[in-house]
Amino acid sequence: MSLLTPASEVIQRHLEHFTDRHVILAGDIQDEFAATLEAASVRVLTNQYHHWQNLSRLMGENAQFAAIADADFIQPCNTLIYFWPKNKQEACFQLDDLCTHLAVGSQIFIVGENRSGVKSAESIMEGIATLQKIDSARRCGLYYGELEHPTHFDIARWWRRYEVEEVQIHALPGVFSHNELDIGSDLLLSTLNEPITGNLLDLACGNGVLAAVVGTHNPDVTLTLSDVSAAAIRSSIATLQANQLKGKVIASDAYSDIHDKFDWIISNPPFHDGLNTNYSAAENIIYQAPKYLKKGGRFRIVANAFLPYPDMLDKAFGSHEVLAKTGKFKVYQAIKR
């Protein structure tokens, strides 16, 4: 059993509420608490592929990986435990979805770290469920209420669309660069102005902006996009379709489900997991990259200038170069020799 997050530890103080309930856990799930919860039945819906991989080994079909709730999966449940994410719009999106499939009178528990803004749960759920704070511990708040008015989820209301170099970008809440192109990706794109051929992997693709811009300007390139986020996968598929681009979009924890070798790997890698700083994903992306590149293949990433990536690149590739930089970001390139 992995260590529990503070939010799960707060829920653990209230286990008596769940003994005879049919529970669905959703939201920013970061541990294996769902697999240990004793209740009439327990299901978990996660947007994160790496957490689903762990939970599915323990819970089988009772763990589901998806951006949007499956009605048949949610409807047997009469209790929701929702783990509040760091992104408020993502919480609104997911709760709107979940509360469409729950019956009136279903119990709702919302828990999260105070720094995540969980206190806004009361106002967000106004008109859906009247929440009350029932516990405060481990710098977290736990809110409880019963579903009074189910929602009517329509995903069309949640899409955000914008243009980058006349390329249409589509994104769902919680996906990186949801509302506009981020500064780091913009800097990386400024270096991708040479002719690009062969096959390209956009790792941690988010809404697919990097691959879509490259593919639009280089029609002969073969695109593969991957991310751990189900919402990112759905967003990238929508972005490719909007620009009439072909490409493979897959869920993968870094290279866990990547089986090809590439001429290019590009990435704006994450260094957070939920609210916490976590370099492990980026480290894995860098150190494993040579295995997934053809000889002469290029690995190009953008990162905050303070992050310790130059040493990692030198260990993985033997050398690296800086192609562009600002006061905050640097674009690094390394080549497989």
Side-chain angles (χ1 to χ4, degrees):
M1 175 65 190
S2 63
L3 294 175
L4 296 182
T5 63
S8 291
E9 289 181 342
V10 172
I11 291 291
Q12 235 185 355
R13 292 155 57 100
H14 300 269
L15 296 179
E16 69 278 2
H17 289 291
F18 310 115
T19 305
D20 60 350
R21 307 294 295 182
H22 297 278
V23 182
I24 177 74
L25 296 92
D28 188 30
I29 295 167
Q30 297 283 329
D31 58 26
E32 298 171 1
F33 171 71
T36 68
L37 180 63
E38 295 185 3
S41 67
V42 180
R43 297 182 175 191
V44 60
L45 174 67
T46 177
N47 181 43
Q48 298 294 309
Y49 186 66
H50 53 314
H51 294 308
W52 172 80
Q53 285 178 308
N54 290 333
L55 290 166
S56 64
R57 294 186 192 105
L58 300 168
M59 301 178 66
E61 293 182 356
N62 287 324
Q64 191 171 89
F65 167 69
I68 308 298
D70 176 8
D72 291 338
F73 188 73
I74 304 296
Q75 284 172 351
C77 302
N78 58 19
T79 299
L80 168 65
I81 301 176
Y82 183 77
F83 291 82
W84 193 264
K86 66 177 181 179
N87 185 294
K88 182 177 177 180
Q89 274 293 101
E90 182 178 14
C92 293
F93 168 70
Q94 292 177 344
L95 286 166
D96 183 26
D97 181 23
L98 291 161
C99 290
T100 292
H101 306 299
L102 293 170
V104 171
S106 294
Q107 296 182 351
I108 297 175
F109 295 82
I110 297 180
V111 63
E113 294 188 43
N114 296 326
R115 61 180 175 146
S116 71
V118 66
K119 62 183 179 182
S120 63
E122 289 178 283
S123 59
I124 285 173
M125 294 296 286
E126 189 173 348
I128 303 169
T130 303
L131 297 182
Q132 292 185 326
K133 192 173 187 179
I134 61 170
D135 200 357
S136 181
R138 304 285 284 132
R139 298 180 180 175
C140 294
L142 174 62
Y143 297 81
Y144 169 77
E146 293 186 2
L147 184 64
E148 299 159 3
H149 301 286
T151 52
H152 300 282
F153 179 74
D154 179 5
I155 194 173
R157 296 193 302 109
W158 292 100
W159 284 107
R160 294 294 178 267
R161 299 172 178 85
Y162 58 92
E163 284 192 7
V164 176
E165 300 181 22
E166 299 184 354
V167 175
Q168 297 289 325
I169 308 303
H170 291 221
L172 290 171
V175 175
F176 188 61
S177 287
H178 172 228
N179 289 309
E180 60 183 359
L181 183 67
D182 66 286
I183 298 172
S185 293
D186 189 33
L187 185 64
L188 178 54
L189 282 173
S190 74
T191 73
L192 292 166
N193 50 17
E194 73 243 63
I196 294 176
T197 58
N199 57 346
L200 176 144
L201 171 64
D202 181 356
L203 206 54
C205 60
N207 58 31
V209 58
L210 298 177
V213 172
V214 170
T216 298
H217 296 316
N218 302 272
D220 292 330
V221 73
T222 301
L223 300 174
T224 300
L225 298 76
S226 74
D227 205 290
V228 295
S229 162
I233 297 299
R234 195 154 183 151
S235 299
S236 289
I237 291 171
T239 293
L240 292 182
Q241 290 175 342
N243 296 283
Q244 298 180 322
L245 292 168
K246 293 182 179 179
K248 184 191 299 182
V249 185
I250 60 175
S252 183
D253 181 11
Y255 302 100
S256 69
D257 290 63
I258 304 296
H259 306 295
D260 298 321
K261 290 196 173 186
F262 298 88
D263 299 287
W264 288 82
I265 296 176
I266 60 174
S267 185
N268 184 351
F271 61 97
H272 289 95
D273 193 357
L275 285 167
N276 301 314
T277 299
N278 187 337
Y279 300 128
S280 61
E283 289 179 9
N284 190 27
I285 286 172
I286 292 171
Y287 284 133
Q288 298 297 317
K291 295 181 183 178
Y292 296 90
L293 282 168
K294 300 174 185 176
K295 187 174 181 180
R298 297 172 185 271
F299 178 75
R300 193 175 295 185
I301 63 170
V302 63
N304 289 68
F306 71 86
L307 294 171
Y309 295 167
D311 287 345
M312 296 181 196
L313 289 164
D314 288 343
K315 288 178 183 177
F317 287 91
S319 65
H320 76 278
E321 58 183 319
V322 177
L323 299 183
K325 63 180 179 180
T326 64
K328 189 175 181 181
F329 293 98
K330 290 183 179 180
V331 176
Y332 302 101
Q333 177 171 275
I335 300 174
K336 181 175 179 179
R337 305 298 181 186

